[in-house]
């Protein structure tokens, strides 16, 4: 009889406890994260995506009370990375880094998944420009000299993975200038640098963050920036537009999760991302490396993705680039 009389009260207590656990605050404090997190990066070590992700992951781990690991899975269009993320448990402990190269890949490559239907945004991470880079001994000092040489012979452009921001930026530059150029793909930014130094390629398309040491050390030279204005980290490098070429590219990185991850987990990660990217120390570090740190809500990031998807779809179609 005593057990029976206490049953309703006990049931109410259990239900109240379940409601508490389901709340985002309690989820973050006790239920999530319950183990180290992983951010899958669809690029090799040392590139802009890798560097910005690692710096942010360290602070994110401090905030969440669990280590945040980086898992590099380079491959064309981010397919290997995406498939790895989609086969992981959908509990919020496995995330993926998307870039505006992902919006490009959706149009340019026949993907075995849909970045917008199979994944959900968490927060943007950083925005960045690219640079047209040459070796220190290159004859190219600006775009004028590059275009003049391109009128005499075919050129070679080096970028990381096909379908990446860097890759399509080179395709877009080729279309904008009507140059006869061959694109040479590399797995990592370091390999792009090596290709430039060996003379295997004429120009590399890469971020300041990815090859900062080589640029600052004078091993590589930037002859043009791809953004709308000169950057604080390379104030003496004119943009392509300044040099008379109708061409502009701005990239971004963002954290996404496979669809099906609990909303409470996404909220915990999103809030932590916004707190971390507001920290002056991390903002200063990322800015010094050529990245503009910016957090966002999931809805804001979703809008940016769709905007860029439409933009690059139009670029690809107008340039006649084959899928």
């Amino acid at each position: 009889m005593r057990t029976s009389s206490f049953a309703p009260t006990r049931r109410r207590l259990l239900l109240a406890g379940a409601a508490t656990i389901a709340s985002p605050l309690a989820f973050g404090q006790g239920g999530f994260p319950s183990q180290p997190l992983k951010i899958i990066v669809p690029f090799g070590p040392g590139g802009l995506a890798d560097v910005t992700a690692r710096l942010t992951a360290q602070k994110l781990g401090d905030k969440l009370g669990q280590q945040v690991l980086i898992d590099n899975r380079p491959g064309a269009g981010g397919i290997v990375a995406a498939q790895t993320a989609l086969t992981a448990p959908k509990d919020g402990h496995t995330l993926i880094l998307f870039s505006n190269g992902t919006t490009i890949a959706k149009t340019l490559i026949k993907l075995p998944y849909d970045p917008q239907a199979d994944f959900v945004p968490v927060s943007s991470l950083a925005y960045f420009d690219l640079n047209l880079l040459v070796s220190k001994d290159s004859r190219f000092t600006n775009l004028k000299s590059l275009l003049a040489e391109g009128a005499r012979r075919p050129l070679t452009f080096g970028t990381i993975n096909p379908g990446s921001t860097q890759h399509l930026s080179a395709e877009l530059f080729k279309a904008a200038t009507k140059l006869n150029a061959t694109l040479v793909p590399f797995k990592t930014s370091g390999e792009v640098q090596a290709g430039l130094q060996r003379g295997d390629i004429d120009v590399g398309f890469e971020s300041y963050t990815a090859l900062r040491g080589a640029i600052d050390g004078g091993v590589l030279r930037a002859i043009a920036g791809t953004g709308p204005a000169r950057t604080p980290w390379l104030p003496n490098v004119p943009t392509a537009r300044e040099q008379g070429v109708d061409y502009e590219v701005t990239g971004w990185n963002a954290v996404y999760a496979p669809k099906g991850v609990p909303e409470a987990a996404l909220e915990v990660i999103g809030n932590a991302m916004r707190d971390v990217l507001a920290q002056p120390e991390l903002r200063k570090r990322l800015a010094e490396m050529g990245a503009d740190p910016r957090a966002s809500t999931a809805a804001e990031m979703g809008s940016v993705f769709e905007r860029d998807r439409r933009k690059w779809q139009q670029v690809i179609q107008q340039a006649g680039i084959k899928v």
Side-chain angles (χ1 to χ4, degrees), residues 306-321:
E306 178 59 16
R307 178 201 69 195
D308 278 12
R309 183 197 67 78
R310 292 182 180 183
K311 167 191 171 182
W312 286 110
Q313 182 182 50
Q314 185 177 14
V315 167
I316 291 167
Q317 291 172 347
Q318 289 179 346
I321 301 170

mmCIF file of all heavy atoms in Angstrom, residues 306-321:
data_model
loop_
_atom_site.group_PDB
_atom_site.id
_atom_site.type_symbol
_atom_site.label_atom_id
_atom_site.label_comp_id
_atom_site.label_asym_id
_atom_site.label_seq_id
_atom_site.Cartn_x
_atom_site.Cartn_y
_atom_site.Cartn_z
ATOM 1 N N GLU A 306 22.526 29.912 -48.776
ATOM 2 C CA GLU A 306 21.646 29.951 -49.935
ATOM 3 C C GLU A 306 21.986 31.111 -50.864
ATOM 4 O O GLU A 306 21.962 30.967 -52.099
ATOM 5 C CB GLU A 306 20.185 30.052 -49.478
ATOM 6 C CG GLU A 306 19.172 30.158 -50.601
ATOM 7 C CD GLU A 306 19.189 28.988 -51.568
ATOM 8 O OE1 GLU A 306 19.769 27.921 -51.235
ATOM 9 O OE2 GLU A 306 18.636 29.132 -52.680
ATOM 10 N N ARG A 307 22.347 32.247 -50.286
ATOM 11 C CA ARG A 307 22.756 33.397 -51.104
ATOM 12 C C ARG A 307 23.962 33.057 -51.962
ATOM 13 O O ARG A 307 23.985 33.337 -53.172
ATOM 14 C CB ARG A 307 23.082 34.578 -50.197
ATOM 15 C CG ARG A 307 23.563 35.833 -50.924
ATOM 16 C CD ARG A 307 24.334 36.732 -49.975
ATOM 17 N NE ARG A 307 25.613 36.139 -49.594
ATOM 18 C CZ ARG A 307 26.359 36.555 -48.569
ATOM 19 N NH1 ARG A 307 25.932 37.545 -47.802
ATOM 20 N NH2 ARG A 307 27.508 35.973 -48.306
ATOM 21 N N ASP A 308 24.977 32.435 -51.349
ATOM 22 C CA ASP A 308 26.185 32.100 -52.092
ATOM 23 C C ASP A 308 25.955 30.945 -53.066
ATOM 24 O O ASP A 308 26.578 30.890 -54.124
ATOM 25 C CB ASP A 308 27.318 31.760 -51.122
ATOM 26 C CG ASP A 308 28.008 32.999 -50.591
ATOM 27 O OD1 ASP A 308 27.466 34.105 -50.785
ATOM 28 O OD2 ASP A 308 29.083 32.879 -49.975
ATOM 29 N N ARG A 309 25.066 30.028 -52.716
ATOM 30 C CA ARG A 309 24.759 28.939 -53.639
ATOM 31 C C ARG A 309 24.212 29.505 -54.948
ATOM 32 O O ARG A 309 24.620 29.099 -56.044
ATOM 33 C CB ARG A 309 23.749 27.976 -53.025
ATOM 34 C CG ARG A 309 23.446 26.756 -53.915
ATOM 35 C CD ARG A 309 22.187 26.052 -53.496
ATOM 36 N NE ARG A 309 20.998 26.862 -53.708
ATOM 37 C CZ ARG A 309 20.415 27.037 -54.890
ATOM 38 N NH1 ARG A 309 20.926 26.479 -55.973
ATOM 39 N NH2 ARG A 309 19.323 27.781 -55.006
ATOM 40 N N ARG A 310 23.298 30.455 -54.827
ATOM 41 C CA ARG A 310 22.717 31.064 -56.023
ATOM 42 C C ARG A 310 23.759 31.865 -56.801
ATOM 43 O O ARG A 310 23.801 31.817 -58.033
ATOM 44 C CB ARG A 310 21.551 31.969 -55.626
ATOM 45 C CG ARG A 310 20.352 31.211 -55.074
ATOM 46 C CD ARG A 310 19.218 32.153 -54.738
ATOM 47 N NE ARG A 310 18.068 31.437 -54.212
ATOM 48 C CZ ARG A 310 16.912 32.014 -53.882
ATOM 49 N NH1 ARG A 310 16.768 33.323 -54.029
ATOM 50 N NH2 ARG A 310 15.913 31.292 -53.414
ATOM 51 N N LYS A 311 24.596 32.580 -56.066
ATOM 52 C CA LYS A 311 25.633 33.389 -56.710
ATOM 53 C C LYS A 311 26.581 32.506 -57.523
ATOM 54 O O LYS A 311 26.841 32.774 -58.708
ATOM 55 C CB LYS A 311 26.428 34.164 -55.647
ATOM 56 C CG LYS A 311 27.724 34.786 -56.182
ATOM 57 C CD LYS A 311 28.588 35.304 -55.047
ATOM 58 C CE LYS A 311 29.962 35.714 -55.558
ATOM 59 N NZ LYS A 311 30.837 36.178 -54.457
ATOM 60 N N TRP A 312 27.096 31.445 -56.904
ATOM 61 C CA TRP A 312 28.073 30.607 -57.582
ATOM 62 C C TRP A 312 27.443 29.762 -58.677
ATOM 63 O O TRP A 312 28.095 29.448 -59.675
ATOM 64 C CB TRP A 312 28.818 29.741 -56.570
ATOM 65 C CG TRP A 312 29.795 30.527 -55.767
ATOM 66 C CD1 TRP A 312 29.708 30.848 -54.442
ATOM 67 C CD2 TRP A 312 31.001 31.125 -56.239
ATOM 68 N NE1 TRP A 312 30.792 31.607 -54.067
ATOM 69 C CE2 TRP A 312 31.597 31.784 -55.148
ATOM 70 C CE3 TRP A 312 31.634 31.165 -57.477
ATOM 71 C CZ2 TRP A 312 32.796 32.474 -55.255
ATOM 72 C CZ3 TRP A 312 32.840 31.853 -57.589
ATOM 73 C CH2 TRP A 312 33.402 32.503 -56.485
ATOM 74 N N GLN A 313 26.184 29.410 -58.496
ATOM 75 C CA GLN A 313 25.480 28.699 -59.558
ATOM 76 C C GLN A 313 25.440 29.548 -60.819
ATOM 77 O O GLN A 313 25.677 29.067 -61.930
ATOM 78 C CB GLN A 313 24.060 28.346 -59.116
ATOM 79 C CG GLN A 313 23.276 27.558 -60.160
ATOM 80 C CD GLN A 313 21.852 27.269 -59.705
ATOM 81 O OE1 GLN A 313 21.133 28.174 -59.258
ATOM 82 N NE2 GLN A 313 21.451 26.017 -59.777
ATOM 83 N N GLN A 314 25.170 30.841 -60.643
ATOM 84 C CA GLN A 314 25.137 31.755 -61.777
ATOM 85 C C GLN A 314 26.525 31.915 -62.396
ATOM 86 O O GLN A 314 26.672 31.924 -63.617
ATOM 87 C CB GLN A 314 24.604 33.116 -61.327
ATOM 88 C CG GLN A 314 24.409 34.119 -62.457
ATOM 89 C CD GLN A 314 23.820 35.433 -61.978
ATOM 90 O OE1 GLN A 314 23.778 35.719 -60.788
ATOM 91 N NE2 GLN A 314 23.334 36.234 -62.914
ATOM 92 N N VAL A 315 27.549 32.018 -61.524
ATOM 93 C CA VAL A 315 28.923 32.148 -62.025
ATOM 94 C C VAL A 315 29.312 30.934 -62.848
ATOM 95 O O VAL A 315 29.880 31.041 -63.945
ATOM 96 C CB VAL A 315 29.892 32.316 -60.835
ATOM 97 C CG1 VAL A 315 31.345 32.138 -61.302
ATOM 98 C CG2 VAL A 315 29.726 33.680 -60.188
ATOM 99 N N ILE A 316 28.992 29.759 -62.335
ATOM 100 C CA ILE A 316 29.341 28.510 -63.010
ATOM 101 C C ILE A 316 28.644 28.421 -64.365
ATOM 102 O O ILE A 316 29.256 28.042 -65.375
ATOM 103 C CB ILE A 316 28.983 27.308 -62.117
ATOM 104 C CG1 ILE A 316 29.922 27.265 -60.903
ATOM 105 C CG2 ILE A 316 29.060 25.989 -62.893
ATOM 106 C CD1 ILE A 316 29.471 26.335 -59.809
ATOM 107 N N GLN A 317 27.365 28.776 -64.395
ATOM 108 C CA GLN A 317 26.608 28.703 -65.639
ATOM 109 C C GLN A 317 27.107 29.717 -66.653
ATOM 110 O O GLN A 317 27.273 29.395 -67.842
ATOM 111 C CB GLN A 317 25.117 28.921 -65.346
ATOM 112 C CG GLN A 317 24.490 27.765 -64.585
ATOM 113 C CD GLN A 317 23.073 28.074 -64.133
ATOM 114 O OE1 GLN A 317 22.612 29.226 -64.158
ATOM 115 N NE2 GLN A 317 22.347 27.044 -63.707
ATOM 116 N N GLN A 318 27.375 30.946 -66.190
ATOM 117 C CA GLN A 318 27.832 31.992 -67.106
ATOM 118 C C GLN A 318 29.241 31.695 -67.648
ATOM 119 O O GLN A 318 29.560 32.035 -68.779
ATOM 120 C CB GLN A 318 27.813 33.342 -66.416
ATOM 121 C CG GLN A 318 26.397 33.881 -66.148
ATOM 122 C CD GLN A 318 26.399 35.221 -65.428
ATOM 123 O OE1 GLN A 318 27.417 35.654 -64.890
ATOM 124 N NE2 GLN A 318 25.248 35.882 -65.428
ATOM 125 N N ALA A 319 30.061 31.061 -66.795
ATOM 126 C CA ALA A 319 31.429 30.737 -67.218
ATOM 127 C C ALA A 319 31.451 29.487 -68.094
ATOM 128 O O ALA A 319 32.495 29.172 -68.698
ATOM 129 C CB ALA A 319 32.319 30.546 -65.991
ATOM 130 N N GLY A 320 30.338 28.775 -68.159
ATOM 131 C CA GLY A 320 30.292 27.564 -68.975
ATOM 132 C C GLY A 320 31.098 26.426 -68.382
ATOM 133 O O GLY A 320 31.554 25.535 -69.109
ATOM 134 N N ILE A 321 31.283 26.445 -67.054
ATOM 135 C CA ILE A 321 32.042 25.399 -66.390
ATOM 136 C C ILE A 321 31.174 24.146 -66.306
ATOM 137 O O ILE A 321 30.048 24.193 -65.831
ATOM 138 C CB ILE A 321 32.490 25.842 -64.994
ATOM 139 C CG1 ILE A 321 33.347 27.107 -65.094
ATOM 140 C CG2 ILE A 321 33.279 24.736 -64.291
ATOM 141 C CD1 ILE A 321 33.630 27.752 -63.770
#
